[in-house]
């Protein structure tokens, strides 16, 4: 069974530039999550989708971050414009459903903002 | 607001030793508790998932327990090996099954 795929694996940009990350969840998984992990911290949930609807985006900085999950499969997370404090690893995860299901994580995208 | 704390922040043990990693959470109204392993520069690998109705789960040399009333979970690793060296994260599943993570315990197993 293929795992959660993410690209790119690494990205370096200047502040005020824009960047986009892509995630392809495990086939059949209805729920998709985007997390931000700052060095030395645990991951923090940014946004959670159930199929193509948003379940929770309470911690997403909506003035600069946006995410979509068209057709309920792949998802993209965008930052525009980026700030220095956005330097982090962005992790995508998926689960079969919501009810207590195990979450499976992708390898992450390491973003460095200079 | 749920807060998850992991103690110790770092642990170094000789190969073969049994060890316990601790995780505590402030809100006992959780749906599940999940333990993950993270290798440097990698994503998270799920180790064990304990539903709120369960007391423990076992997989190979790993055993995780859950005590909701006291807000605690432990991860027991038997006969540790150098390949177990990694950061171990626990996460509580709350409303909407959103995971709240601790900062992790960095484990080093010395040959």
């Amino acid at each position: 069974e293929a795992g959660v795929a993410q690209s790119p694996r690494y990205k370096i940009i200047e502040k005020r530039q824009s960047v986009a990350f892509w995630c392809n969840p495990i086939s059949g998984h209805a729920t998709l999550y985007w997390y931000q992990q700052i060095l030395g911290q645990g991951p923090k949930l940014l946004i959670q989708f159930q199929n193509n609807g948003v379940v929770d985006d309470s911690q997403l900085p909506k003035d600069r971050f946006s995410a979509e999950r068209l057709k309920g499969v792949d998802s993209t997370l965008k930052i525009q414009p980026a700030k220095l404090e956005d330097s982090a690893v962005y992790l995508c995860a998926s689960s079969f459903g919501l009810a207590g299901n195990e979450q499976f994580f992708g390898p992450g995208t390491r973003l460095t903002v200079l | 607001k749920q807060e998850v704390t992991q103690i110790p922040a770092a642990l170094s043990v000789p190969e073969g030793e049994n060890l316990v990693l601790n995780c505590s959470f402030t809100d006992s109204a959780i749906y599940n508790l999940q333990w993950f392993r993270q290798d440097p520069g990698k994503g998270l690998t799920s180790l064990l998932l304990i539903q709120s109705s369960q007391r423990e789960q076992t997989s190979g040399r790993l055993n995780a327990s859950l005590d909701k009333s006291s807000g605690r979970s432990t991860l027991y690793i038997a006969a540790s090996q150098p390949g177990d060296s990694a950061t171990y994260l626990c996460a509580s599943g709350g409303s909407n099954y959103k995971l709240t993570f601790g900062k992790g315990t960095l484990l080093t197993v010395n040959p």
Side-chain angles (χ1 to χ4, degrees), chain B residues 47-58:
Chain B
L47 297 174
L48 290 164
L49 170 68
I50 311 175
Q51 302 292 355
S52 61
S53 58
Q54 298 174 322
R55 293 288 300 219
E56 65 177 344
Q57 282 285 340
T58 298

Side-chain angles (χ1 to χ4, degrees), chain A residues 37 42 45 48 98 100 102, chain B residues 34 38 46 51 96-98:
Chain A
Q37 186 177 24
L45 180 70
Q48 177 180 344
L98 280 178
E102 192 171 5
Chain B
Q34 197 165 352
Q38 187 171 32
S46 178
Q51 302 292 355
N96 283 333
Y97 307 99
K98 181 170 75 174

